Amino acid sequence: DKEAVQRLEFKAAGETFNFELREAPVAGGEAPEAEAAAETGVPKTEPRWEFIEEPDKTVDKAKVSGLLMAISSLRAIEVAEDVDPETAGLDAPWAQLVVVLKDGGRHTIRLGAVAEGTENRYLGVDDKPYVYVLSKYTAEKIGAASPVYLNKE
């Protein structure tokens, strides 16, 4: 459930992106929330994704939302029964995503090597000994490591 996610720790291609959902003040203006906040003196807040390494930069909510959708709808297309985690490249993953939940739970998703004879990727979840195969499309959506998650300035 994407609503249960508090923090994302994303590593790929030698880069790390950490996002956290934090309460942030709603910008002023003509909105009823802004007027109510002005009347009560209590600022209205809303949840907002922040890029932890550079808090002054804003996160593109649509792109992080797309990443969350990809994670929440994550479905392996098959179990790679005769492939061990090392052979699948899960010991040195192509991309790794740690999902920290609001209740303190934590899950690690590792995208490994390209699955033999396909364009799909091997997938590992937490420390489970199973190796799964993830579609190329979903793997690319999750593994797109770049500052595209930040708003252009």
Side-chain angles (χ1 to χ4, degrees), residues 1-6 21 49 65-66 68-69 72 101-102:
D1 177 18
K2 72 177 189 171
E3 301 299 322
V5 177
Q6 177 67 41
L21 190 61
W49 285 101
S65 180
L68 286 170
M69 288 297 288
S72 65
L101 305 176
K102 291 176 183 173

Side-chain angles (χ1 to χ4, degrees), residues 1-67:
D1 177 18
K2 72 177 189 171
E3 301 299 322
V5 177
Q6 177 67 41
R7 181 180 170 118
L8 296 172
E9 302 168 1
F10 184 71
K11 296 177 186 175
E15 297 194 60
T16 300
F17 301 98
N18 292 303
F19 307 104
E20 187 163 34
L21 190 61
R22 297 180 177 163
E23 288 295 316
V26 174
E30 302 294 321
E33 294 88 0
E35 291 176 19
E39 289 176 15
T40 63
V42 178
K44 172 91 172 126
T45 62
E46 66 182 359
R48 185 178 305 158
W49 285 101
E50 293 185 4
F51 184 54
I52 295 171
E53 284 79 9
E54 297 181 53
D56 57 322
K57 294 195 180 222
T58 57
V59 175
D60 186 324
K61 285 171 46 173
K63 290 178 181 161
V64 172
S65 180
L67 176 62

Side-chain angles (χ1 to χ4, degrees), residues 17-129:
F17 301 98
N18 292 303
F19 307 104
E20 187 163 34
L21 190 61
R22 297 180 177 163
E23 288 295 316
V26 174
E30 302 294 321
E33 294 88 0
E35 291 176 19
E39 289 176 15
T40 63
V42 178
K44 172 91 172 126
T45 62
E46 66 182 359
R48 185 178 305 158
W49 285 101
E50 293 185 4
F51 184 54
I52 295 171
E53 284 79 9
E54 297 181 53
D56 57 322
K57 294 195 180 222
T58 57
V59 175
D60 186 324
K61 285 171 46 173
K63 290 178 181 161
V64 172
S65 180
L67 176 62
L68 286 170
M69 288 297 288
I71 296 165
S72 65
S73 63
L74 193 67
R75 301 287 180 269
I77 56 177
E78 67 180 303
V79 176
E81 293 187 25
D82 296 328
V83 179
D84 64 77
E86 186 177 345
T87 302
L90 300 178
D91 54 339
W94 171 69
Q96 177 174 296
L97 181 65
V98 177
V99 180
V100 181
L101 305 176
K102 291 176 183 173
D103 68 5
R106 189 177 179 96
H107 299 286
T108 302
I109 299 166
R110 294 168 314 199
L111 301 176
V114 173
E116 189 175 332
T118 74
E119 293 183 341
N120 302 319
R121 290 233 174 228
Y122 290 119
L123 167 76
V125 179
D126 296 326
D127 290 329
K128 293 181 173 46

